[in-house]
Amino acid sequence: TAIIYTTTIDAFSVPSSPSIPPFSSPQTPEEVVQNQLFHYQTSNLPSAFSYNSPENKEATGTISDFETSLQTPPYNLLINHERADVLLEVIPDGMFHEDDTERDNYDSALCLVCIRPNREMNKKHPVWFWWELSRNIDDEDEEDVGEQWMVDCIIPDFEDLDFETDALSIEEFGEGDDDDELTIFWDVGGL
């Protein structure tokens, strides 16, 4: 089980200053997600890539591979999106503290994000993605800021999927017609 931490978050659309992300030094998972969303919205993919954890970067490959993976559905909806809302932050069970000063005591988090795609895309209604984050030390960071929140992966919310993909496979394990034995695998490409 997990405890859901909700926070009042102002949604943002096209920023007033298109070159400056909302947070100069993101300290929380939500701030990292909002900064990465800003870079997706402004098509600054190298900066969006910089928020990925070392493991995510290893799985994704080069920045060129990352940019290529963002051209496939549903990730293509992130680029130049019209609006993004971070709806909630989920932290591991047993790690939640009522006092915000103690929120530094957990090492992983999930954020649910609602994306309103660019109107020029074929998909006109909002889509939801889960951002999975963890505390990491970025070996490529020249400023040596210590541990920081980084994105481990972005996963589309399966309830919202309405497209076909070769990366999705459904396999049944075990004997009989028991639906509890159904497993769904999806190669998300390390985003």
Side-chain angles (χ1 to χ4, degrees):
T1 60
I3 295 179
I4 299 174
Y5 172 76
T6 58
T7 182
T8 304
I9 300 168
D10 294 328
F12 68 97
S13 54
V14 177
S16 58
S17 177
S19 62
I20 302 171
F23 299 95
S24 61
S25 180
Q27 300 297 310
T28 67
E30 182 238 320
E31 291 174 354
V32 169
V33 170
Q34 285 208 20
N35 274 11
Q36 191 175 49
L37 286 165
F38 169 85
H39 294 301
Y40 283 132
Q41 184 180 41
T42 58
S43 295
N44 186 343
L45 300 183
S47 292
F49 184 74
S50 73
Y51 287 94
N52 290 349
S53 68
E55 293 82 9
N56 190 350
K57 289 176 181 176
E58 183 179 324
T60 304
T62 66
I63 184 66
S64 177
D65 296 333
F66 177 71
E67 291 172 350
T68 300
S69 66
L70 287 168
Q71 301 307 313
T72 59
Y75 298 105
N76 61 332
L77 301 173
L78 295 171
I79 309 303
N80 294 320
H81 64 268
E82 288 188 15
R83 180 183 174 119
D85 299 293
V86 179
L87 302 176
L88 61 91
E89 180 180 321
V90 180
I91 59 176
D93 190 21
M95 298 301 280
F96 178 73
H97 301 282
E98 293 296 328
D99 182 3
D100 265 353
T101 60
E102 296 181 29
R103 289 190 67 228
D104 293 337
N105 294 333
Y106 61 97
D107 292 325
S108 63
L110 294 168
C111 291
L112 179 63
V113 176
C114 178
I115 302 284
R116 184 167 305 277
N118 186 306
R119 292 174 197 223
E120 296 173 6
M121 300 297 291
N122 290 335
K123 189 169 182 109
K124 306 256 187 263
H125 61 279
V127 293
W128 288 263
F129 289 88
W130 285 98
W131 259 250
E132 183 178 328
L133 300 98
S134 62
R135 289 186 190 270
N136 286 271
I137 296 175
D138 188 359
D139 296 333
E140 296 174 16
D141 186 9
E142 291 138 15
E143 297 177 22
D144 191 28
V145 295
E147 281 191 343
Q148 57 188 351
W149 287 103
M150 301 185 89
V151 178
D152 291 325
C153 64
I154 302 171
I155 302 171
D157 187 68
F158 283 102
E159 295 285 323
D160 188 49
L161 295 178
D162 67 346
F163 60 90
E164 294 182 22
T165 177
D166 293 334
L168 184 65
S169 67
I170 300 174
E171 299 180 19
E172 187 172 337
F173 295 96
E175 297 177 15
D177 296 326
D178 186 3
D179 285 340
D180 292 338
E181 301 293 327
L182 190 65
T183 304
I184 299 175
F185 295 95
W186 193 14
D187 178 8
V188 295
L191 281 181

